Amino acid sequence: MAGATLIPVSEYLSTTYRPDRDYIDGELRERNVGDRPHAVMQALLATIFNVNRRTWGVVGMTELRIQTSATHFRIPGLCILRRSDPVEDVVRTAPLICIEIISPSDTLSALQERVDDYIAMGVDNVWVIDPLSRHAYVASSKGFETPSDEAFSVPGTTIRIALEELFAEFDEMQQQS
């Protein structure tokens, strides 16, 4: 990209950014976060996963750096790790789930690029949620599909989040001040 200042991985990993930024091939990239719908959905999903952490065998983390390749670092809205995964300051083991929460300024091409990075890393479950339009998608390298049973789920586990219930909780939390 013309005009972009490139920095080494070591500098990225030793620097604190507020808000944190993705790192792609030496370039810092801002993330679209900070609006209320994004924050409410992120808090709601983190709560659901952490309340069920023992039953589902997971830990839900927000704003956690993931190294998807040697020169790509992403920060998903939520990263769902297996409780058996190694404890890493920067996640290098493919998470069970990466969840992206769409903000109004997100673009489809940038979102697909993020999804492709997660999949290339080995993440089998990538979920995308648009809290404003009340749409939810299971993402893959082929694009975005609506979950077939009106719920997010992970094959081979008991993880299941009914979308109708998720959006009802979201609506209730949005109305609280």
Side-chain angles (χ1 to χ4, degrees):
M1 172 181 244
T5 302
L6 302 180
I7 65 168
V9 169
S10 59
E11 183 178 332
Y12 170 72
L13 292 174
S14 65
T15 304
T16 301
Y17 302 96
R18 299 206 190 284
D20 207 350
R21 292 175 173 85
D22 287 345
Y23 175 92
I24 306 299
D25 299 325
E27 178 186 340
L28 295 176
R29 294 199 186 163
E30 291 189 27
R31 298 166 45 251
N32 297 321
V33 297
D35 63 2
R36 183 178 176 93
H38 186 282
V40 168
M41 184 58 76
Q42 186 178 41
L44 177 58
L45 285 164
T47 299
I48 290 169
F49 277 100
N50 287 319
V51 163
N52 291 289
R53 72 186 182 281
R54 287 185 183 91
T55 304
W56 291 347
V58 299
V59 177
M61 301 285 205
T62 60
E63 310 299 322
L64 182 61
R65 287 180 179 176
I66 299 173
Q67 185 172 7
T68 59
S69 71
T71 60
H72 285 204
F73 292 78
R74 296 290 187 175
I75 305 165
L78 256 82
C79 172
I80 310 304
L81 306 172
R82 296 164 198 83
R83 290 184 67 184
S84 60
D85 286 347
V87 175
E88 302 168 302
D89 288 339
V90 174
V91 174
R92 292 178 173 89
T93 304
L96 179 63
I97 309 167
C98 285
I99 302 173
E100 289 293 341
I101 302 165
I102 297 175
S103 294
S105 56
D106 283 325
T107 66
L108 186 59
S109 60
L111 193 56
Q112 186 64 58
E113 184 181 301
R114 296 176 72 76
V115 168
D116 290 345
D117 272 358
Y118 299 141
I119 291 167
M121 179 193 195
V123 179
D124 291 327
N125 305 281
V126 181
W127 300 346
V128 176
I129 301 172
D130 184 341
L132 294 178
S133 71
R134 299 173 58 94
H135 287 96
Y137 306 95
V138 174
S140 72
S141 58
K142 296 177 183 177
F144 302 82
E145 296 180 22
T146 304
S148 59
D149 62 352
E150 298 299 318
F152 281 133
S153 60
V154 175
T157 73
T158 58
I159 296 172
R160 186 177 190 285
I161 300 174
L163 297 177
E164 184 176 332
E165 294 172 21
L166 176 67
F167 286 119
E169 286 290 322
F170 171 79
D171 290 343
E172 183 179 321
M173 288 177 69
Q174 272 285 89
Q175 294 173 10
Q176 297 172 349
S177 42

